[in-house]
Amino acid sequence: MAFLRSVLTYSTSLLSTLTKQTNVIYVKRTFLLPRVTLYKHADARLFSFRRSCSSTAAKAEKGEDSFLKWFLLLIPATTFGLGTWQVKRRQWKLQLIDELSRLTTAEPIPLPLDPYELNNLEYRRVKVHGRYDHSKELYIMPRSPVDPKKEAREAGSLSSSGESGANVITPFHCTDLGITILVNRGYVPRQKIRPESRMKGQVEEDVDVIGVVRLTETRKPFVPNNDVEKNRWHYRDLEAMSRVTGAAPIFIDADFGSTIPGGPIGGQTRVTLRNEHMQYIITWYGLCAATSYMWYVKFIKKIKV
C-alpha cells in the first residue's frame, strides 16, 4: 500500500508538471505567432516606407536638377541680351558721331543772340566779326593739342601725348552785334602761355572768326575746382568766366582757319566720342556662346563638366 501510494503520488505530480509545461508551450506559441506576424507586417511597412522615401528623394533631386537647369540658362540669355543692347548702342553712337561731324563742318551761320536758340546750337558753326581784348585772357589747363585723326585712332585708350599746355580764352567784342563774347582762340604750349611770349599773335585790329558754339560744363569727378585768383581753369564755367571778364555767357571754339600766325592754334574742339561698343559686343556674345555650349554639354548631352 505504501508503495502504491508513493507511485500514485509521483504519477500525479508528474502529470501535473507535464500539464503545466504543455500550457506554457501553448501560451508561448499563442504569443509567438502574432509576434512573427507583427514582424512581417512591420518589415513590409518599413520596406514600403523606404521605397516611398527613395521615390520622394528621387523626385526632389529631379526637381532640383530641373530648377538648376533653367536657372543656369539665364546666363547665356542675359549675355545675349547685353550683346544685342551693345549693338543698338553702337548704332546710336555712330549716328551721334556723324551728326557732330556734320555740325562742325556745315556752313557757318551768323551768331544768334537768343539764349534759347543758342542752347540748341551746340557744335554748330557760327561766324562773328570784332576785336579781341587780350588784357583779360583766361587759361584752361592742362590741355593737349587736338589731333582729330589721332584721337579717332586712340579713342578710349588711357595713353595720351606728353605735350601739355593751355587753351587761351579771350573776350571778343562783336562790333556788328554790340556784345562781348568768349572765344577759345586755341592751344598754346606751356612755354607760350604768357602773352608776352607770343606778341606776334596778339592782333589788335578787327578780325573775322568762325567757331563752334559750346555750352557751359559741369565739373566732372576728380577734376579740380577752377582757381579764379590764379587764373587756372580746369573746365568751362561760363557764368564764372563772364563775371571775371564782363563778357556775355556765350562761348565759341575758334576753328583752325581762324588761327593767327604766332598765336594760339585754333580747331581745339573735341568731337571724337569714345566708341568701344564693338569690344563689348564681342565680349558679351563670346560669353553667350561659351556658356550656351557648357549648358548644352551639362544638361543635354549629360556629360559631367
Side-chain angles (χ1 to χ4, degrees):
M1 290 296 291
F3 175 74
L4 291 175
R5 189 183 294 109
S6 61
V7 171
L8 182 60
T9 302
Y10 176 76
S11 299
T12 303
S13 176
L14 180 62
L15 181 61
S16 177
T17 302
L18 291 173
T19 303
K20 289 180 180 179
Q21 289 180 354
T22 303
N23 291 337
V24 170
I25 292 173
Y26 178 77
V27 171
K28 286 184 178 180
R29 286 180 179 177
T30 302
F31 284 97
L32 180 61
L33 290 174
R35 288 183 182 179
V36 173
T37 305
L38 178 62
Y39 291 155
K40 287 183 179 180
H41 287 299
D43 290 341
R45 286 197 298 269
L46 180 61
F47 177 75
S48 176
F49 176 74
R50 288 178 178 175
R51 184 169 57 185
S52 176
C53 290
S54 300
S55 177
T56 303
K59 290 181 180 179
E61 185 178 357
K62 184 177 181 181
E64 291 178 359
D65 289 344
S66 179
F67 172 78
L68 183 64
K69 174 182 178 180
W70 297 115
F71 178 77
L72 291 180
L73 189 61
L74 289 175
I75 298 176
T78 301
T79 52
F80 179 82
L82 290 172
T84 304
W85 178 63
Q86 286 297 328
V87 170
K88 295 181 179 179
R89 288 278 296 173
R90 181 174 182 271
Q91 294 174 349
W92 168 80
K93 185 62 69 66
L94 291 175
Q95 292 177 357
L96 182 59
I97 292 173
D98 290 341
E99 178 67 16
L100 292 179
S101 299
R102 185 185 64 80
L103 290 175
T104 55
T105 57
E107 286 296 319
I109 62 173
L111 176 68
L113 297 181
D114 185 358
Y116 178 79
E117 186 176 356
L118 278 172
N119 289 337
N120 296 319
L121 290 179
E122 188 167 23
Y123 293 107
R124 187 69 169 86
R125 297 182 77 205
V126 295
K127 55 184 178 182
V128 292
H129 177 83
R131 180 177 300 180
Y132 287 112
D133 183 0
H134 301 292
S135 64
K136 297 180 181 179
E137 284 184 349
L138 305 177
Y139 309 109
I140 299 180
M141 59 175 62
R143 288 292 185 272
S144 57
V146 170
D147 183 347
K149 294 183 179 180
K150 182 178 180 181
E151 291 196 355
R153 187 171 59 252
E154 298 179 353
S157 65
L158 297 177
S159 61
S160 59
S161 62
E163 189 175 0
S164 178
N167 284 349
V168 179
I169 314 302
T170 308
F172 185 86
H173 181 70
C174 303
T175 54
D176 54 343
L177 300 176
I179 64 170
T180 300
I181 65 173
L182 295 169
V183 176
N184 176 13
R185 296 186 63 196
Y187 170 82
V188 293
R190 186 176 296 275
Q191 64 273 18
K192 294 288 186 179
I193 292 179
R194 294 167 52 186
E196 54 269 22
S197 64
R198 46 182 168 82
M199 292 303 298
K200 185 178 179 181
Q202 305 294 83
V203 294
E204 299 294 339
E205 65 272 12
D206 287 2
V207 293
D208 292 319
V209 175
I210 295 176
V212 176
V213 175
R214 303 304 305 277
L215 303 180
T216 191
E217 283 182 310
T218 302
R219 187 175 71 89
K220 298 178 181 179
F222 309 111
V223 173
N225 290 314
N226 292 325
D227 192 336
V228 179
E229 294 183 358
K230 293 184 179 180
N231 196 8
R232 294 176 65 90
W233 303 78
H234 301 285
Y235 62 96
R236 197 171 50 251
D237 185 346
L238 297 192
E239 292 186 1
M241 290 178 171
S242 298
R243 287 195 299 268
V244 172
T245 60
I250 300 174
F251 191 105
I252 66 172
D253 287 337
D255 66 3
F256 182 78
S258 299
T259 302
I260 297 173
I265 301 173
Q268 300 301 308
T269 304
R270 281 183 164 85
V271 295
T272 303
L273 302 177
R274 294 179 61 178
N275 186 11
E276 299 177 340
H277 298 290
M278 181 56 70
Q279 300 176 23
Y280 299 145
I281 291 171
I282 295 173
T283 299
W284 289 123
Y285 279 153
L287 287 172
C288 177
T291 53
S292 296
Y293 176 75
M294 294 175 65
W295 186 87
Y296 172 77
V297 169
K298 172 68 176 177
F299 297 106
I300 304 301
K301 297 185 70 176
K302 304 295 184 180
I303 298 176
K304 291 185 177 181
V305 293

